[in-house]
Amino acid sequence: MFGRFRYNDEVFYGELKEDSVISQESTFMEYDLSELELLPPSSPSKIVCVGLNYHDHAKELGLNVPEEPILFIKPPSALIGQNGKILYPRSSNRVDFEAELAVIIGKKCKNIVYDRAYDVIAGFTCFNDVTARDLQQKDGQWTRAKSFDTFAPLGPFITPAEDFNPEDAAIRSRVNGELRQDSNISNLIFDVPYLIEFISGVMTLEVGDVIATGTPPGVGELHTGDVVEIEIEGIGTLINEVA
């Protein structure tokens, strides 16, 4: 697994080896994990999100399966990492969690065909598409509701593409230890290679960009003081508190 860390004023990418981290910068220094600040594991130019992309979620909502992926963008300013605080905005009265698999882009790319999609994937991690649901319904589009600072928790680490099977992995969310979402990534309507082909046909993807692949059924409300966990089998658990 790989992550992004801060030691004093130095920010670097490193490989996690049990309780130590080996810097992937030119020095290849080794640090004790406990002495490092854990940052969001990628620094993207954009976060491309996909709406309504689980068969069981569409069924839950009584909606037809979309003919094409539904895309929206979150700004990098919304990113937080493991144990970062989700800040409840004063302008909203309803903030929801959404457990998602995130794809991290490893090569700048455009117009990637389905069969070459894995050539541009660095790895996978957990994502929480935090949403001000009342503002989403009020605005009739999603930008404001999805873009508040701290509304894009990502992490904790990146699992390399060769070490993770996105066609069969459990995805779950818990709030204060209570199971809220429990599905499998095999329920995706549009799988990861399809999304990369579709999105890269629209926009150039840069190294570090994030594709959030959609959420399964069971999304729900968060309150101040709640602790939300996003767990994906084979990747780990992303934990954040609402403040």
Side-chain angles (χ1 to χ4, degrees):
M1 291 188 175
F2 292 84
R4 191 164 152 265
F5 306 89
R6 179 183 285 118
Y7 180 75
N8 294 331
D9 294 328
E10 178 189 6
V11 174
F12 64 91
Y13 288 91
E15 182 178 5
L16 185 65
K17 296 287 189 182
E18 295 183 352
D19 293 329
S20 65
V21 174
I22 300 174
S23 170
Q24 298 302 294
E25 311 299 330
S26 58
T27 57
F28 289 98
M29 292 285 292
E30 185 169 354
Y31 301 88
D32 190 288
L33 181 60
S34 63
E35 61 184 348
L36 301 176
E37 178 186 355
L38 182 57
L39 303 175
S42 186
S43 182
S45 70
K46 53 189 169 293
I47 304 165
V48 186
C49 302
V50 183
L52 197 63
N53 195 32
Y54 275 79
H55 286 284
D56 44 2
H57 189 37
K59 183 178 180 180
E60 174 192 42
L61 298 174
L63 299 173
N64 293 328
V65 171
E67 295 181 0
E68 294 181 317
I70 301 167
L71 303 183
F72 60 95
I73 298 283
K74 283 199 175 207
S77 55
L79 276 174
I80 56 173
Q82 180 80 331
N83 298 319
K85 303 289 187 181
I86 299 170
L87 301 181
Y88 208 115
R90 294 179 179 176
S91 56
S92 175
N93 293 311
R94 171 67 187 256
V95 172
D96 285 7
F97 59 87
E98 297 187 12
E100 308 203 6
L101 170 71
V103 182
I104 309 299
I105 298 299
K107 295 180 182 178
K108 183 176 180 178
C109 59
K110 173 70 175 174
N111 293 323
I112 298 298
V113 298
Y114 186 98
D115 292 340
R116 299 296 300 273
Y118 276 88
D119 293 348
V120 302
I121 298 175
F124 299 89
T125 192
C126 304
F127 185 76
N128 188 350
D129 178 19
V130 182
T131 303
R133 193 70 69 198
D134 55 341
L135 300 182
Q136 182 183 23
Q137 295 168 351
K138 177 181 179 181
D139 292 351
Q141 55 83 25
W142 302 353
T143 301
R144 177 167 67 139
K146 301 278 191 176
S147 297
F148 285 96
D149 290 354
T150 75
F151 270 28
L154 183 74
F157 305 105
I158 297 172
T159 297
E162 61 269 22
D163 295 336
F164 178 74
N165 178 14
E167 297 180 1
D168 183 19
I171 179 170
R172 304 181 180 95
S173 66
R174 294 180 177 85
V175 178
N176 302 325
E178 180 183 341
L179 184 66
R180 298 294 184 86
Q181 293 176 279
D182 187 6
S183 186
N184 194 289
I185 294 167
S186 63
N187 289 317
L188 283 174
I189 296 169
F190 304 105
D191 65 12
V192 169
Y194 189 100
L195 293 176
I196 290 176
E197 179 179 54
F198 185 84
I199 294 168
S200 70
V202 176
M203 66 190 81
T204 299
L205 294 171
E206 305 283 349
V207 174
D209 279 356
V210 175
I211 298 175
T213 57
T215 195
V219 301
E221 189 173 2
L222 291 171
H223 301 90
T224 300
D226 283 349
V227 175
V228 56
E229 302 176 36
I230 309 300
E231 177 191 0
I232 299 177
E233 182 183 12
I235 292 179
T237 304
L238 172 65
I239 303 172
N240 300 95
E241 183 180 354
V242 183

